[in-house]
């Protein structure tokens, strides 16, 4: 599965990038060069440089550096680099070390990758007409993660656009102490197909996928070293303007960890969430087509690197597009937030209006059997939701109660506009010391068909069998409108293809709601 998934996705992305070169190849106004840049330790990084038309000696232009995404070739950003150069930027895009023709081994945004970013800036300032006082970084996925980490270590970086990236690697692929199987397998497979994983990555990936709990602390330490959330003090001290963009359904880097990171930034900042899966919100922009995410990134750089008064600093800094609205592009002459987007002063504003429904009674389920409630398929299910509003579905009345706990709210008389992070609180006991549960929130129509609103896994170890314990679980953040006449349903089972489960054979889980500590689901709703 790992190899086939990685091959399919990598092939699609590479083909898409190749198509995106069409408008670039036809443009003759700017200068494009393919160069070798010496990265940390002299490692050769394959790069391309796009400079504005008519750039000459004595004229300096703002610089934008673009590290490539995981497994992507160095031509990934050429369409966007052309657009940026046309508006006056020097753009240097480089293949991250360990991938394709660049030298070295895959470090997974380790210290050498961060040092590489600074080396690329050094090279650009010495070899292009770029301005050392106006330096920005941007990237999708892996490039986003490297850009955020570089902003913590290089104060020359004044603005960042981190798209479909991570700020907390542990919360991204090990949330709820549960391995995100398909995400890790996809990344690992793509890494082996297009690059050279180093010994450390090979060891970490092997321990992760084999559930080697003896190495859990080592894996967490490795992830923290690669998380911008652990570098917040340095990022805030350097003061770069940080724009974060992600998709609600990102199955590799879920949105929660970006939202938490955003709230702790103290400099100029912006947070945008849209429908889609990993990197799908930016994909059309990589083809050179109109794209909300890239339009916003260009406006961000125009303001914070060129000083353009385009109003982006006066807009509400948190911009959300609900999943139940089609993903569109900005119309000429207006910002992409004129239609379909909702603005908020901060992320915590989404918590201001919450509504609970109780999880009463006691339900016992058998583990090790997939009930039919699932979070979907990485890179596919949320792509269908993005373009066709077709999330994973389940018939709630037909879910086998021996393998799934089910609780439902009352039927709502008016639309319920879910915005933010749904929270689950319950009491669990198990017949075994370890186990995994997966919680799903569904929008249930009159015929009992449930559309997936959100989900999240939770794993426990070293619990006393039969002894109840409390569970507090945050589902992945979302923006979803539940129609009038529908209800919400919480479903809990123990198996989902997205995750590695830790349920011993024959285990049973019991969910209860003690009088002194009742169980509930807390749903954040948009205040009308």
């Amino acid at each position: 599965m790992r190899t086939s998934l990685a091959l399919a996705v990598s092939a699609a992305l590479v083909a898409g990038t190749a198509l995106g070169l069409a408008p670039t190849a036809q443009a003759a106004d700017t200068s494009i060069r393919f160069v070798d840049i010496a990265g940390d330790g002299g490692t050769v990084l394959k790069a391309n440089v796009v400079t504005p038309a008519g750039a000459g000696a004595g004229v300096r232009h703002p610089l934008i550096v673009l590290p490539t995404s995981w497994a992507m070739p160095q031509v990934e950003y050429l369409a966007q680099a052309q657009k940026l150069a046309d508006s006056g930027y020097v753009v240097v895009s480089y293949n991250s070390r360990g991938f394709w023709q660049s030298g070295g081994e895959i470090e997974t945004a380790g210290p050498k990758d961060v040092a590489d970013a600074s080396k690329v800036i050094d090279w650009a300032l010495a070899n292009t007409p770029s301005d050392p006082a106006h330096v920005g970084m941007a990237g999708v996925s892996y490039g986003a993660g490297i850009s955020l980490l570089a902003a913590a270590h290089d104060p020359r970086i004044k603005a960042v656009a981190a798209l479909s990236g991570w700020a907390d690697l542990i919360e991204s692929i090990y949330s709820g102490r549960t391995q995100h199987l398909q995400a890790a397998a996809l990344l690992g497979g793509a890494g082996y197909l297009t690059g050279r994983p180093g010994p450390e990555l090979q060891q970490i990936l092997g321990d992760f996928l084999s559930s080697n709990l003896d190495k859990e602390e080592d894996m967490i330490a490795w992830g923290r070293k690669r998380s911008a959330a652990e570098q917040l003090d340095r990022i805030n001290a350097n003061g770069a303007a940080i724009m974060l963009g992600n998709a609600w359904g990102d199955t590799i880097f879920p949105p929660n960890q970006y939202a938490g990171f955003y709230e702790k930034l103290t400099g100029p900042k912006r947070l945008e969430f849209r429908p889609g899966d990993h990197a799908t919100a930016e994909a059309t922009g990589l083809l050179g087509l109109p794209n909300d995410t890239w339009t916003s990134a260009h406006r961000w750089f125009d303001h914070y690197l060129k000083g353009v008064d385009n109003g982006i600093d006066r807009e509400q800094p948190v911009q959300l597009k609900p999943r139940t609205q089609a993903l569109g592009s900005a119309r000429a002459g207006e910002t992409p937030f004129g239609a379909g987007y909702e603005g908020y002063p901060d992320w915590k504003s989404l918590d201001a209006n919450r509504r609970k429904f109780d999880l009463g009674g006691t339900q016992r389920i058998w583990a090790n059997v997939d009930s039919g409630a699932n979070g979907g398929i990485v890179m596919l299910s949320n792509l269908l939701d993005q373009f066709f509003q077709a999330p994973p579905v389940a018939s709630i009345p037909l879910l086998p109660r021996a393998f799934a706990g089910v609780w439902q709210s009352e039927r709502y008389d008016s639309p319920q506009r879910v915005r933010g992070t749904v929270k689950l609180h319950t009491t669990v006991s198990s017949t075994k010391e370890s186990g995994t549960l997966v919680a799903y929130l569904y929008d249930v129509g009159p015929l009992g068909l449930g559309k997936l609103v959100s989900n999240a896994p939770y794993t426990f170890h070293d619990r006393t069998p039969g002894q109840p314990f409390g569970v507090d679980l945050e589902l992945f953040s979302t923006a979803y409108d539940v129609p009038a006449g529908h209800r919400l349903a919480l479903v809990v089972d123990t198996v989902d293809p997205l995750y590695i489960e830790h349920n011993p054979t024959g285990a049973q889980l019991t969910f209860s709601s003690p009088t002194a500590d009742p169980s509930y689901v807390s749903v954040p709703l948009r205040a009308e």
Side-chain angles (χ1 to χ4, degrees):
M1 180 189 72
R2 176 171 64 198
T3 302
S4 61
L5 277 172
L7 182 60
V9 173
S10 296
L13 290 176
V14 172
T17 302
L19 290 172
L21 293 181
T24 302
Q26 294 169 5
D29 294 337
T30 55
S31 169
I32 302 173
R33 291 186 291 146
F34 291 87
V35 300
D36 291 348
I37 297 176
D40 185 57
T43 297
V44 174
L45 305 174
K46 295 293 183 177
N48 56 74
V49 183
V50 187
T51 53
V59 178
R60 293 288 176 177
H61 300 268
L63 168 67
I64 295 180
V65 174
L66 302 168
T68 55
S69 304
W70 186 271
M72 289 295 290
Q74 61 155 308
V75 297
E76 176 185 10
Y77 299 115
L78 272 181
Q80 284 301 317
Q82 177 74 62
K83 291 177 180 292
L84 287 164
D86 286 345
S87 61
Y89 294 92
V90 172
V91 185
V92 180
S93 175
Y94 69 95
N95 229 139
S96 305
R97 69 166 53 223
F99 286 105
W100 295 89
Q101 288 85 17
S102 282
E105 297 174 325
I106 300 172
E107 298 285 333
T108 321
K112 292 181 180 179
D113 289 303
V114 176
D116 283 345
S118 291
K119 291 289 187 180
V120 172
I121 294 173
D122 293 341
W123 183 93
L125 296 178
N127 295 278
T128 72
S130 51
D131 186 347
H134 299 92
V135 177
M137 283 193 71
V140 176
S141 185
Y142 194 44
I146 291 175
S147 295
L148 287 175
L149 289 164
H153 293 271
D154 195 327
R156 295 175 297 181
I157 300 169
K158 304 303 182 184
V160 172
L163 312 176
S164 287
W166 78 91
D168 189 325
L169 194 56
I170 300 302
E171 280 300 307
S172 294
I173 61 173
Y174 195 51
S175 68
R177 206 180 177 187
T178 308
Q179 298 101 317
H180 293 209
L181 171 62
Q182 290 186 18
L186 176 61
L187 292 173
Y192 277 99
L193 281 168
T194 62
R196 300 167 298 283
E200 187 178 28
L201 174 57
Q202 293 182 46
Q203 182 67 50
I204 290 292
L205 189 61
D207 290 337
F208 186 85
L209 292 174
S210 65
S211 302
N212 187 354
L213 291 177
D214 290 338
K215 297 292 185 178
E216 184 179 34
E217 290 186 5
D218 293 341
M219 289 186 284
I220 290 174
W222 178 87
R224 284 177 175 165
K225 187 186 297 184
R226 290 157 171 81
S227 297
E230 299 291 322
Q231 305 285 331
L232 262 167
D233 289 344
R234 299 184 68 160
I235 292 174
N236 287 334
N238 288 341
I242 307 291
M243 172 188 156
L244 305 171
N246 204 356
W248 293 118
D250 195 321
T251 44
I252 296 180
F253 304 129
N256 301 46
Q257 45 90 31
Y258 247 14
F261 176 71
Y262 169 84
E263 282 291 274
K264 297 174 184 176
L265 292 170
T266 57
K269 59 184 180 178
R270 185 176 179 90
L271 178 67
E272 299 182 2
F273 285 143
R274 299 174 174 84
D277 205 313
H278 183 64
T280 64
E282 299 85 18
T284 56
L286 295 177
L287 304 180
L289 301 174
N291 178 275
D292 286 3
T293 307
W294 285 104
T295 296
S296 192
H298 286 232
R299 295 177 65 228
W300 190 251
F301 287 130
D302 285 349
H303 181 74
Y304 287 102
L305 294 184
K306 294 169 67 177
V308 176
D309 184 13
N310 55 19
I312 197 168
D313 57 320
R314 297 187 294 275
E315 295 171 359
Q316 295 277 40
V318 176
Q319 293 284 339
L320 312 180
K321 188 160 195 176
R323 290 166 44 201
T324 39
Q325 295 184 23
L327 184 64
S329 300
R331 292 191 296 270
E334 72 171 14
T335 74
F337 308 102
Y341 287 85
E342 301 170 357
Y344 298 85
D346 47 38
W347 180 255
K348 64 178 178 289
S349 297
L350 278 68
D351 266 343
N353 182 35
R354 283 188 169 269
R355 184 171 184 174
K356 293 182 180 181
F357 68 89
D358 295 331
L359 308 180
T362 297
Q363 297 194 34
R364 174 174 291 185
I365 62 174
W366 289 92
N368 310 116
V369 176
D370 190 339
S371 71
N374 286 312
I377 300 172
V378 66
M379 296 296 297
L380 176 60
S381 297
N382 291 313
L383 186 66
L384 294 175
D385 186 35
Q386 175 184 358
F387 289 105
F388 304 107
Q389 297 183 23
V393 298
S395 175
I396 304 304
L398 297 181
L399 289 174
R401 295 321 196 248
F403 308 116
V406 179
W407 298 262
Q408 298 192 69
S409 72
E410 76 277 18
R411 185 171 283 109
Y412 298 115
D413 295 329
S414 60
Q416 304 294 294
R417 307 190 190 282
V418 181
R419 301 289 186 273
T421 307
V422 174
K423 299 178 180 180
L424 164 65
H425 174 75
T426 189
T427 297
V428 180
S429 62
S430 174
T431 58
K432 306 290 184 180
E433 64 177 14
S434 296
T436 297
L437 60 94
V438 184
Y440 310 88
L441 189 71
Y442 284 98
D443 160 25
V444 185
L447 300 179
L449 184 66
K451 295 183 177 181
L452 187 65
V453 177
S454 185
N455 78 98
Y458 180 90
T459 293
F460 58 90
H461 297 288
D462 302 321
R463 291 289 181 177
T464 302
Q467 181 67 42
F469 58 93
V471 170
D472 287 288
L473 178 61
E474 292 189 349
L475 277 61
F476 300 136
S477 302
T478 193
Y480 184 98
D481 294 341
V482 179
H486 288 212
R487 64 180 75 210
L488 288 170
L490 181 82
V491 177
V492 180
D493 71 3
T494 62
V495 176
D496 190 306
L498 285 174
Y499 312 112
I500 292 178
E501 52 95 1
H502 297 261
N503 296 295
T505 302
Q508 287 181 290
L509 299 182
T510 299
F511 300 88
S512 59
S513 182
T515 303
D517 185 22
S519 298
Y520 60 85
V521 172
S522 176
V523 182
L525 300 175
R526 180 185 175 189
E528 298 298 338

